Amino acid sequence: FEHCTIVRLFNFQFFVYFQALIFVLHSFRMSSMRSVIGLLAALVAVVGVSSALDPANDDCPSATLIDSLPATVRVNTTAARHSKNRPLACSRLLKDVWFRLPDVPAGTPLRVSASRRDGGEYNFPVTFAIYRDCAESTKPIACTLGRDVVLIAPGGNLWVRAGSRSSTDMFGIAQVVIEPLTDNQPCTTTSALDDEPDTQSVFADLTPAEINSVREYLLNQPEYELTPYETAYSDLAIASNYIVMIERATVPKAATLAHLDQGGAAPARKAQVLIYFGALETPVVRYFEVGPLPLVAGETTVVDVTRAGGIEYYKRVVDDLEYDLMDTIIDTESSKLQTLMEESYGGYFYHGCDDKCLDWSDTTPRGYSAGERLTWLWFFYNVEGKFVQPVGLEILFNHTGLDTSKWGIAKIIYNYQMYLSVDALAEAYANNQLNKTTLAAADLSWSAFEQRVDETRAPRPNVDKLGSRLYEPNGKRFTISGNRIDYMGWQMDMSWARHVGLFLFDVKFLGERIFYELGVTEASALYSGYSAMQAWTWYTDTAWGMGTSMYSMRIGYDCPHTGVLHDVVIDTPSGPKTWPDAVCIFEQGNNYAQRRHYEADGDSYSWYSSTPSHSLVIRTMAAVYNYDYVLDYIFYLSGLVEVRAAASGFLQACYYNDAYAVQESLYSMKLREQMSGALHDHVFGIKVTRRCEQYLTLASITSSASRRRAVVNNI
């Protein structure tokens, strides 16, 4: 079963043997003749499958045979199953199917792609890999993540593997297209654009090996009394000392410029480590620099770079350990409201729920006075699009200090009515001493991301035709080497930080440094509302980890078909992890002339000249809870740089009751029954660092065409 079988639903051989055992056990309940037939059937099943999975069977009979090209193959929905998760191609896959092409002539240019059977664009992250042999140890000769694969056939037999990292049944609507390319078709190269650079950039992120070495070193230093995060988490021991994050330490600017511009020594490469010291008599948060890297015995230094006195512990970012402790208390307290929830919310509840579940989320700030840690929570239906499904139940949770026995619910609001304890609310509800609400929960699918057809309107014309695509007639005009990007006179280094995501360093145009540093440092959202939770809310999204919220993008949807997807490595409390396809890089035509002029004297033509405009886009998408921020860094051939932010995702909706329409109308607008949208603002902070004072033109983030001039000083 290690060879390319279509069916990989756990261990398939074990599955067949298990079925045979069922035959045997069941035979004892049947007549003697049926028993013999059952045993024979079981043996035939085992022998047949063992033969199909025989490692010596080089023909891979379970791969679909492609005997002529071009070929469009409808993928059998039941054929694609969960794979054994082996990293045969560009990444680990959850599902895959195989195709065999016999005797392909050498030199044949081939393209492998996926499409929907109904002609629409494909909406799943497909991985293709091409092999000369289907054995597990064989390396692919070509592969791609989330886009078409193009190669020149080496001759002989080829095996095509189509797979997905999606856990959904991606093959239910799919077909795989294998076709030879003709002279007039674009042939975008899929050769490695992401080779490792010859020399490591001073801005290169830490490797998993470097992160692990720093974590191991600090865990073995007795003076810090560190507990492995896994141990603290499993024990829910919040009063522990543990490492929260390890990433590249910021290198000194002066030393870096001396290295880049004057050939000086490269600054020492170090790690920045964030540690929660919860076990101290006075808990504190501290940052350390550890290095130089790689770590060498006797040469490693650990320097506390935190401000004097450290960061007060109540200001720390909430992590999974604290969330689990909070949820344990919320779950216990919500059991007292079982009747209230089921009657008010259409059978949905929280404690011990199965399919009809409520869920909760939290807001910031966590208090307004020094030392306190108070967080407003709000409940909603746990369905797709849950952020627009509030139910009007809000909690002020007190998690001040580290004695969790003193944590609990300080206030609770039900249908705009506030109580100082869960018991008080439960008693008032049981005695009919409050205004009850009954929400319609029969159909909550309206918030789901699914295609809907309005039967009252005629279909849009040409809806069955594919939309336009970007086209690269001669291949890509940018290259990626490690974290370095080069594009038509532009050069820059990519770097990643857990709290903010992508940053660009040493940005040059035609050899001149335009920016030393460029990146979004904060995305803030300020809400208004009549409800306590909405009125309290002021998000600073770096506290939620914008860098860890920049998940995979999809070719053809989040990123054009010509885009190149780039993985990043981010450290988590339990160790470094790879965020696949977190950055998309592509060139685009801007659909207007960079410069043009048409010279005419009346109706007499004199001359005309025009230069097309192109730009390179480096894109990330941060899905911070309900919002999906699209962040583009755009580099034009004219030397112009644009940073563009857009928001998608879901609104953080307000619970709406017509009885409080006057109060809510001051802050929000009713969007549908039981739901309104609150007035709020989004503010983005962008850091731009140069070597000298410079005037820049900054485009307004709003949709207006206004422009403002800002002075950017040397930092």
Side-chain angles (χ1 to χ4, degrees), residues 24 181 260 276:
V24 173
L181 293 179
L260 295 175
Y276 286 179

Side-chain angles (χ1 to χ4, degrees), residues 200-202 251 255-256 258-260 263-269:
Q200 189 178 62
S201 165
V202 294
V251 289
T256 302
H259 164 66
L260 295 175
R269 183 171 171 82

Side-chain angles (χ1 to χ4, degrees), residues 59-74:
D59 291 334
C60 299
S62 53
T64 301
L65 177 66
I66 307 296
D67 54 8
S68 63
L69 296 176
T72 300
V73 187
R74 292 171 62 95

Side-chain angles (χ1 to χ4, degrees), residues 87-90 128-133 137-143:
L88 282 179
C90 306
F128 292 113
I130 314 296
Y131 301 86
R132 301 195 68 172
D133 188 346
S137 59
T138 304
K139 302 296 184 182
I141 60 175
C143 64

Side-chain angles (χ1 to χ4, degrees), residues 309-321:
I311 301 171
E312 296 85 347
Y313 209 63
Y314 71 90
K315 294 181 179 179
R316 71 192 183 281
V317 172
V318 176
D319 58 8
D320 289 341
L321 193 161

Side-chain angles (χ1 to χ4, degrees), residues 35-338:
S35 176
V36 172
I37 294 174
L39 287 171
L40 288 175
L43 289 173
V44 169
V46 172
V47 172
V49 172
S50 297
S51 174
L53 303 177
D54 184 359
N57 192 343
D58 294 331
D59 291 334
C60 299
S62 53
T64 301
L65 177 66
I66 307 296
D67 54 8
S68 63
L69 296 176
T72 300
V73 187
R74 292 171 62 95
V75 179
N76 185 355
T77 304
T78 60
R81 300 296 184 189
H82 288 280
S83 73
K84 198 172 179 293
N85 217 18
R86 55 180 181 172
L88 282 179
C90 306
S91 64
R92 294 179 180 271
L93 305 175
L94 290 177
K95 296 183 179 182
D96 59 8
V97 290
W98 289 75
F99 308 92
R100 181 168 67 91
L101 286 70
D103 302 322
V104 180
T108 303
L110 293 175
R111 184 208 307 277
V112 183
S113 59
S115 65
R116 289 165 52 106
R117 295 176 185 173
D118 59 9
E121 297 213 18
Y122 204 61
N123 191 23
F124 295 95
V126 183
T127 291
F128 292 113
I130 314 296
Y131 301 86
R132 301 195 68 172
D133 188 346
C134 60
E136 180 182 9
S137 59
T138 304
K139 302 296 184 182
I141 60 175
C143 64
T144 183
L145 289 174
R147 55 187 181 276
D148 302 354
V149 62
V150 176
L151 78 156
I152 304 299
N157 295 335
L158 291 179
W159 277 264
V160 177
R161 182 189 189 197
S164 173
R165 286 183 287 189
S166 171
S167 60
T168 58
D169 189 6
M170 55 159 282
F171 291 99
I173 58 171
Q175 58 188 18
V176 173
V177 180
I178 305 174
E179 57 185 339
L181 293 179
T182 58
D183 292 340
N184 61 352
Q185 288 180 295
C187 184
T188 302
T189 178
T190 56
S191 60
L193 290 170
D194 204 7
D195 293 334
E196 288 297 321
D198 295 332
T199 58
Q200 189 178 62
S201 165
V202 294
F203 304 108
D205 295 325
L206 299 187
T207 65
E210 289 174 322
I211 293 171
N212 288 330
S213 68
V214 172
R215 178 173 277 105
E216 182 180 359
Y217 176 83
L218 290 174
L219 287 173
N220 289 318
Q221 304 307 305
E223 62 267 33
Y224 301 115
E225 299 181 342
L226 295 177
T227 299
Y229 179 77
E230 294 82 355
T231 302
Y233 182 80
S234 62
D235 297 338
L236 292 182
I238 195 169
S240 303
N241 302 338
Y242 56 88
I243 298 171
V244 178
M245 175 189 70
I246 302 173
E247 60 186 13
R248 179 182 65 85
T250 302
V251 289
K253 181 179 176 184
T256 302
L257 291 176
H259 164 66
L260 295 175
D261 299 341
Q262 302 167 21
R269 183 171 171 82
K270 297 182 180 181
Q272 178 177 268
V273 184
L274 172 62
I275 300 179
Y276 286 179
F277 286 98
L280 299 182
E281 182 178 352
T282 303
V284 70
V285 176
R286 292 192 178 278
Y287 283 94
F288 295 87
E289 284 190 0
V290 182
L293 297 173
L295 299 182
V296 177
E299 299 180 10
T300 302
T301 61
V302 181
V303 180
D304 187 344
V305 294
T306 322
R307 67 175 185 235
I311 301 171
E312 296 85 347
Y313 209 63
Y314 71 90
K315 294 181 179 179
R316 71 192 183 281
V317 172
V318 176
D319 58 8
D320 289 341
L321 193 161
E322 187 171 3
Y323 274 129
D324 276 16
L325 284 168
M326 294 168 63
D327 187 67
T328 300
I329 298 172
I330 293 169
D331 183 68
T332 300
E333 290 292 292
S334 68
S335 66
K336 304 173 184 178
L337 301 175
Q338 194 87 354

Side-chain angles (χ1 to χ4, degrees), residues 498-612:
R498 178 179 173 183
H499 293 314
V500 297
L502 179 67
F503 249 72
L504 301 175
F505 287 90
D506 197 24
V507 180
K508 293 182 177 180
F509 181 63
L510 300 179
E512 178 186 356
R513 181 173 295 108
I514 306 300
F515 304 125
Y516 175 80
E517 185 179 12
L518 174 65
V520 173
T521 57
E522 187 58 85
S524 182
L526 295 83
Y527 280 78
S528 64
Y530 180 67
S531 79
M533 181 278 295
Q534 290 281 17
W536 186 278
T537 298
W538 180 358
Y539 292 121
T540 51
D541 288 334
T542 55
W544 310 88
M546 287 181 63
T548 58
S549 301
M550 293 179 175
Y551 303 109
S552 299
M553 286 182 275
R554 304 291 184 258
I555 289 290
Y557 290 83
D558 306 317
C559 185
H561 292 83
T562 56
V564 173
L565 296 172
H566 188 79
D567 298 348
V568 299
V569 173
I570 303 177
D571 187 46
T572 69
S574 57
K577 290 180 171 51
T578 297
W579 259 240
D581 309 339
V583 183
C584 177
I585 304 160
F586 60 94
E587 184 184 14
Q588 65 179 5
N590 297 314
N591 301 316
Y592 58 83
Q594 179 173 303
R595 184 181 182 187
R596 77 178 300 276
H597 183 66
Y598 189 101
E599 183 76 21
D601 183 9
D603 59 355
S604 175
Y605 166 78
S606 179
W607 61 273
Y608 163 80
S609 181
S610 180
T611 302

